[in-house]
Amino acid sequence: MKKLLVLFSLVIIGFVYLTGQKTDESPRWYYNPQMIAAQKNGDQLPQATDIGVKSWTTDSRVVYTPQQTLVINPSIRVYPSLNQQCEIYMTRDPNNQNILYVASQNIRGSSINAGTYVSTDGGNNWYGTDTMAAPSQADQRGDPGPAIDKNGRFIFTHLTSTTNFGSLKGMGSNYSTNKGVTWSSTFDVVLDANCDKNLANTDNSPSSPFYGNTYMAWTSFGTTPGNGRFSRTTDGGVSWSTPIVLNATPTGHNAQGHDVVTGPNGQVYVVWTAGVSSSPFTEDFVGFAKSTNGGLNFTTTENAFDANGSRSSSFNGWGIRTNGFPRVDCDKTGGARNGWIYVVTSQINLAPAGTDADIILNRSSDGGTTWSSGIRVNQDALNNGKVQFFPCVRVDEAGGLNVIYYDNRDFPSSGDSATVYISRSLDGGTTWTDQKIADHNFKPKLLPGVNTMGDYIGCTSGNGKVYAAWMDDKNGNASTLFQTWVGSVTIQLNGLNAFNLQTPAASSRIVTFPGSTTPVTITWDTSTITANYKWIFGSPTTGTRRLTIPSGSNSITTTLGALDDILAANGFTNNGTASDSAVGQWDVWAFKAPGAPGVDSLKSTNGPRAITLRRGVPALTAFNLVAPVNGTTITTSVFNPTNVDISWTRSGSGTRYKWLFDAPTFSGAPIFYIPSGNTGFDSSLSIPNATLDAMLAAQGINPGDSVVGQWRVYAYRSATDSLASTQTFALTLKRQAKGDVIVAYDSTTANCRISRDSITVNLGRLGVTFDLYNRGANTNTSSLSFRGYKKVIWLGEATNFISLVQKDSLKAYLNAGG
C-alpha cells in the first residue's frame, strides 16, 4: 500500500428547524405565522422536480359492487417537490373534462404561497409550480379557493397578507388565462384582517342567466358573532363586487367553513356551520343561504339542520386539528334528481353518527326549503372506534353521488395509519358502497410547527371518472413532507371503438444505445377511456411475436436506453452484425375493462406498420475532462455532506465511464476506480465530501495529511474495449487537521440544556480536538477570540445563535457524520 499524505479539514453545518405548536384556542382557522416552522437563517428550502415516487402502483384494481363495476386507478403524486403542500382543493374546466386544476397551500421554509397543479389530459400527466407566478409573491396567505369559469379562465381566491407570511390583510383573487402558467396581480376583494375560510365556485350551467359568474363566500370575525360574507365576479376575476353580509349568526355561535355551489338555473347556494363561540368551538348546526338573482342578495336560514361536528384540536391520537365544516354540491345532470342539493359534514355523538367521527349527508330536493334527516355515508360498523373526516362531495355527470374522505377503518387503533375512501350512491344517498380510492396508506400527523394536516380535501369528476385530491407524507423518503396526491375511480365502462396507429410512421428505423436517455414515444388513438393496450412487435415472415409491452394509455414513452435493454433481454446483440437488427412490424391491441359491453379486444384499424429496431454499436470517440480543473486541491471532512462533483464530456453514445485517481502518477492499479452515475452512463460523478474523506482514511491517510496525484476517465464500449480521456489532470486531496473547532453553547436556555460533558464525549469520540465556550457562564462574546478557528458551532436559542434543538439532536447529527 502506498504511503500517502492528506490535510484534515473540519466543516460543520449547524442548523435545524425550531418548531412550535399552538392549541386551537381561537375559533379562527387561518395559519398563524408564529405557528410555522422556519429556518433560523431565513433561507427557503430548495425546489426539486422530483424527490421520490410519483405512483405507488402501476396497475388498476377492478371492484365489483352490487351497483356496478368500478376501476380504481393508481394514485399519482402530481408535483413532487421539497415543499409542504397542504389544504388541497380540486376543480375542473366546465367545458373540457380533460382539464383538472388542483390548488394547494404551499409552505416553503419561512414563506407561504399557492401551489398550482394542472392536467390537460384527464389526470394522466401533470405540470405546475409550488409558487404562484404572479407579479407579487408577498400577498398570498393561504386558504385556497380555486374555480375555472366558462371561458377556461382559472380563478384563485385566497387570504391576503401585508407581506409574505405577514399579518392578514383581507381576501383577494388572481386569475390566469393560460391554465395557471402565469397569473394576474391580486385583486383585493376586501381589506379586512378578520377574514377566514373562503371557498369559491362558478356557474357552469349554459342555460343559467348568470352563466360564467364566479362566487366566493367566507367568514368575517369583524363582528360578534362572526358571520358570512359574499362577493362575485362577472368578468372572470378582473374585478369583484363589494362584499355583502350573508347572515346574522345567532348569539353564542360563529358562522364558519363556507362552501358555495350553483343550481341548474343559476341559483346560488351557500352553506356553513354555526360553531359555538367558546372552546372547543363545536359545529352546532348548518346554515343555508340562497340567491335567485346571481348573488345580488340572499334569503337565509340560520339553522337548516342540526349537527354536532367533529372539530378537535388534537384528533384521534394524531394530535391534529380537524373540523366539521360542510361541503356542498348540486345535481345539474337533468336526470331524476336534477336540482337536489347535498351537504356532507363530519359529525360525532349525534345520530346517525356514532361515538367516533362519521360522515353525515343531509339533502334537499326542493332547493333548500326543507332538508332530510342525517344519513350515515361510511358503511363500516357503527361505534367501532374508527374515524372518518374531511369529506367532500361530488355529483358526477351521470347523477351518481360521490363522497371522498380520510378514513382509518383498516387499522387496529386510533393514532395508527389512515387512507382515503370513496363512498358512492346511485340513488341520491339512500344506499352506499365504500371503496378505498388511495393505493397507499399513511399516518396523519402535524405539518411541522402547525397543529394541523390541512383543513379539507378535494374532488371532482369527468371523463367517466371520479377524482380525489388529498395530502399525505407518503413521498418515498423518511421526511414529514406533505405532498399532493390524486386518485381516480373509473365509473363509466364503455365498449371498444375503432382506433388508428399514430407514431412512428411506417418503415421507421429506431437505433438504440445502452443507457441513452433520448426519449422514444409510440402513440395511437384512444379506443375508449377505460381500455388497456398491448404494443406488439413481430416478424412479418414467421408471424412470431417477439416483443410485447403493455400500456394503460394510448401511448408508450420510453428511452433509447430502456428499449435497448428490452432488445438485449430478447437476444439481440450490439456487435455490428445482422443479429443486432430486427426488421418487423408493430401493432396495438385494445382490451376492454371487465364489465364493459362489446368485444373483449380490438386491433388497430391501420396496423400493422413496418419498423426496424437496431441495437447501435457504441462508438469510442475522443472526449475531454471538465472539472475539477488541472491542479485543483480538494479538502475533505468527515462532517461535510456537500458533493465533490467530477465531470467530463461524452464519448460515443452508449459508452460507460469510470473515474480513476492515482498518485503520484498512474502506474498499475489506481487508488480509486469508480463508475460514474446512472450505472456508468453519466458523464459525471458526485461523491459526498465526507465519503471521500472516509475513502482516504481507509487508505491509511491521517488527518493533516495530503496526497498529490492525478485523475482521468476511461470510456468503455465493452469490458475490454476502452478509451482514455484526452487529458490527465493533477489533483491534490487533503484531510483537514485537528484542533480547528470551537463549540459555543448555552446551558441556560430552557429548550437547549446541553451539557459540557455530552459535547466533550461526542466530539471526542470522533477524534476532533476542540475548545468549549459556555455562553451561559460568560455572555460577553468579545472575551474570547475566535480568530484562527476554522468553524464555530453555536448551540442555543440566544440572539445571533444558529440552533441545534437538543443534545439528542446534536448526538444524532454527529454520529451520522453530518
Side-chain angles (χ1 to χ4, degrees), residues 3-9 633-636 693 696-697 699-708 732-738:
K3 289 190 175 181
L4 308 170
L5 299 173
V6 143
L7 178 66
F8 178 43
S9 112
T633 296
I634 296 175
T635 303
T636 67
D693 185 82
L696 293 171
Q699 295 292 321
I701 302 169
N702 297 315
D705 293 342
S706 65
V707 57
V708 178
T732 299
L733 300 178
K734 295 182 178 181
R735 297 190 69 203
Q736 184 108 1
K738 299 179 181 179

Side-chain angles (χ1 to χ4, degrees), residues 756-818:
R756 177 190 180 95
D757 290 342
S758 68
I759 298 172
T760 302
V761 169
N762 284 281
L763 287 177
R765 67 189 294 184
L766 296 168
V768 179
T769 58
F770 52 88
D771 291 321
L772 291 176
Y773 169 62
N774 182 2
R775 188 179 186 281
N778 186 347
T779 59
N780 183 6
T781 56
S782 64
S783 68
L784 183 64
S785 173
F786 297 151
R787 185 181 308 169
Y789 288 99
K790 297 296 183 183
K791 193 67 179 179
V792 177
I793 309 173
W794 297 97
L795 308 175
E797 292 187 331
T799 304
N800 299 324
F801 275 50
I802 299 174
S803 298
L804 291 169
V805 181
Q806 297 174 5
K807 68 177 182 180
D808 290 340
S809 299
L810 171 63
K811 290 164 65 177
Y813 178 77
L814 295 174
N815 291 338

Side-chain angles (χ1 to χ4, degrees), residues 509-529:
R509 184 172 183 265
I510 298 176
V511 180
T512 69
F513 288 98
S516 174
T517 57
T518 301
V520 178
T521 302
I522 303 170
T523 63
W524 54 91
D525 295 336
T526 298
S527 177
T528 186
I529 60 172

Side-chain angles (χ1 to χ4, degrees), residues 150-170:
K150 67 177 182 180
N151 298 314
R153 179 174 292 202
F154 286 23
I155 298 174
F156 183 74
T157 67
H158 55 92
L159 296 174
T160 59
S161 289
T162 52
T163 59
N164 187 274
F165 239 148
S167 301
L168 283 180
K169 181 174 65 174

Side-chain angles (χ1 to χ4, degrees), residues 22-33 35 141 143 159-160 166-171 192-197 218-223 226 254-257 275-281 311 313 321-323 325 451-452 455:
K22 189 172 181 179
T23 57
D24 186 15
E25 290 303 322
S26 167
R28 300 182 65 160
W29 210 254
Y30 71 91
Y31 287 106
N32 186 326
M35 296 163 60
R141 192 59 185 84
D143 280 6
L159 296 174
T160 59
S167 301
L168 283 180
K169 181 174 65 174
M171 195 64 62
D192 176 8
N194 297 291
C195 293
D196 192 35
K197 294 318 295 175
W218 67 94
T219 297
S220 173
F221 287 102
T223 60
N254 288 303
Q256 198 174 11
V276 296
S277 56
S278 58
S279 181
F281 312 109
R311 180 161 175 162
S313 60
R321 183 183 71 181
T322 56
N323 64 67
F325 297 157
N451 64 333
T452 182
D455 294 328

Side-chain angles (χ1 to χ4, degrees), residues 630-660:
N630 190 39
T632 295
T633 296
I634 296 175
T635 303
T636 67
S637 164
V638 67
F639 293 118
N640 189 348
T642 61
N643 284 332
V644 174
D645 295 321
I646 305 165
S647 61
W648 52 93
T649 62
R650 286 194 175 276
S651 184
S653 295
T655 54
R656 286 182 165 91
Y657 304 93
K658 289 184 179 179
W659 176 75
L660 286 70

Side-chain angles (χ1 to χ4, degrees), residues 253-329:
H253 296 78
N254 288 303
Q256 198 174 11
H258 291 73
D259 198 5
V260 58
V261 73
T262 61
N265 299 311
Q267 305 95 327
V268 185
Y269 303 127
V270 183
V271 295
W272 62 90
T273 50
V276 296
S277 56
S278 58
S279 181
F281 312 109
T282 303
E283 297 88 359
D284 192 20
F285 47 83
V286 173
F288 176 77
K290 175 180 180 179
S291 173
T292 58
N293 56 11
L296 290 177
N297 53 59
F298 285 81
T299 58
T300 300
T301 304
E302 296 292 348
N303 189 342
F305 53 87
D306 201 11
N308 195 64
S310 60
R311 180 161 175 162
S312 172
S313 60
S314 184
F315 186 66
N316 197 51
W318 295 312
I320 62 173
R321 183 183 71 181
T322 56
N323 64 67
F325 297 157
R327 300 295 296 276
V328 62
D329 202 13

